[in-house]
Amino acid sequence: MNSQALIVDDEPDIRELLEITLGRMKIDTHTAANVTAAKKLLDERKFDLCLTDMRLPDGNGIELVQYIQQKQPDLPVAVLTAFGNMDTAVTALKAGAFDFVSKPVDLERLRGLVDKALKLNQDATKKGADSSPFQIIGQSSAIKTLQNQIKKFARSQAPVYISGESGSGKELVARLIHHSGPRSEAPFVPVNCGAIPSELMESEFFGHKKGSFTGAIEDKIGLFQAANGGTLFLDEVADLPLHMQVSSMATTEVSRK
């Protein structure tokens, strides 16, 4: 049986473009032009993926994301946003969206997003949280809240900030998020930012070419490239100089596209 997708957009041309693109991926589509029609479809049937525009005639995409969180919490939903509107994208991710796509739609990026979203549901049928080699043990309300947060973050493509005192298990949480999401088969690369000498930071993070500086006797891939498609865990990221923090976050945003 083909996967089922819900497309929500008030522009007929956009709906048709998304229908054609997903149809070529062997995905059956259902469409709605507003929030009311989308909610009706969500109440009537189950979907494997939802693509919704941010601005709709009777509401917005955030409202729909929140409705999906209540009705079908395991349904990945991606929000279409105006080009360069990062504030809107961040709001969508915080509300529980799986990812976002800027308009005009980059079809290659859209296809990659759809593949990852569908892989979430496929992985969920193959493995549960207990199948992970990494476990958080406990029955308290705080532990249960953390386990639910891990499950939620694993279904999102947003960068995740994990805070806690030394030894509290930040890397363990990062590994659980990685293992529970669609990147689980790709590398998990942990980095102790405080252990990298300042003069080597750019080379370590971004790599270098042979001969680019004294001592560069061969090409070297950086940590971002080593973690491509997977997870780069920056432990003690506050130990990085400010300019490196900016470069690292910018590279993270580019690499997820």
Side-chain angles (χ1 to χ4, degrees):
M1 180 178 176
N2 290 345
S3 297
Q4 306 290 309
L6 172 61
I7 297 170
V8 187
D9 200 299
D10 60 332
E11 298 182 51
D13 290 346
I14 297 294
R15 291 201 303 271
E16 183 178 4
L17 172 65
L18 297 177
E19 281 189 279
I20 292 173
T21 302
L22 270 59
R24 289 174 177 171
M25 299 175 70
K26 309 300 182 185
I27 299 172
D28 295 336
T29 57
H30 302 262
T31 64
N34 53 54
V35 173
T36 302
K39 288 181 177 180
K40 186 174 185 297
L41 284 170
L42 287 164
D43 291 339
E44 293 173 348
R45 60 174 61 241
K46 293 290 185 180
F47 293 98
D48 301 296
L49 169 69
C50 176
L51 300 174
T52 178
D53 192 17
M54 177 57 73
R55 295 184 177 181
L56 295 165
D58 58 346
N60 58 53
I62 300 300
E63 179 185 346
L64 195 56
V65 170
Q66 294 169 338
Y67 188 81
I68 288 172
Q69 289 290 302
Q70 297 173 0
K71 296 293 184 177
Q72 297 188 37
D74 291 334
L75 172 60
V77 50
V79 176
L80 306 178
T81 67
F83 178 75
N85 194 341
M86 288 305 300
D87 289 341
T88 300
V90 170
T91 301
L93 292 172
K94 286 182 177 179
F98 166 75
D99 208 342
F100 67 92
V101 182
S102 296
K103 288 183 175 181
V105 178
D106 181 329
L107 294 183
E108 182 177 355
R109 166 158 161 65
L110 175 66
R111 284 189 285 266
L113 180 154
V114 170
D115 284 337
K116 287 180 182 177
L118 296 179
K119 189 174 184 294
L120 277 173
N121 295 327
Q122 294 168 0
D123 286 349
T125 62
K126 296 178 181 177
K127 64 182 183 183
D130 293 339
S131 69
S132 172
F134 312 100
Q135 293 294 322
I136 293 178
I137 301 173
Q139 297 296 325
S140 68
S141 59
I143 290 295
K144 291 180 179 179
T145 297
L146 178 59
Q147 290 170 336
N148 289 333
Q149 289 176 327
I150 289 171
K151 180 181 178 182
K152 177 180 178 180
F153 293 141
R155 299 182 66 82
S156 171
Q157 298 298 289
V160 178
Y161 173 71
I162 305 170
S163 64
E165 296 183 5
S166 180
S168 59
K170 295 187 291 294
E171 183 172 339
L172 174 59
V173 169
R175 288 185 180 275
L176 278 167
I177 292 172
H178 172 79
H179 181 270
S180 304
R183 303 172 184 265
S184 59
E185 296 178 2
F188 177 90
V189 181
V191 181
N192 184 348
C193 297
I196 303 176
S198 58
E199 65 272 15
L200 296 179
M201 284 182 177
E202 289 196 11
S203 175
E204 289 294 318
F205 279 106
F206 308 115
H208 61 252
K209 290 289 187 179
K210 177 180 178 180
S212 57
F213 57 86
T214 302
I217 59 175
E218 61 182 2
D219 292 350
K220 178 182 178 179
I221 67 170
L223 293 166
F224 278 98
Q225 187 175 351
N228 186 37
T231 299
L232 179 63
F233 174 59
L234 301 176
D235 193 13
E236 303 298 344
V237 69
D239 288 344
L240 292 177
L242 288 177
H243 76 279
M244 282 298 299
Q245 292 184 38
V246 173
S247 297
S248 298
M249 293 306 101
T251 305
T252 300
E253 181 57 34
V254 170
S255 65
R256 66 182 291 283
K257 294 181 179 180

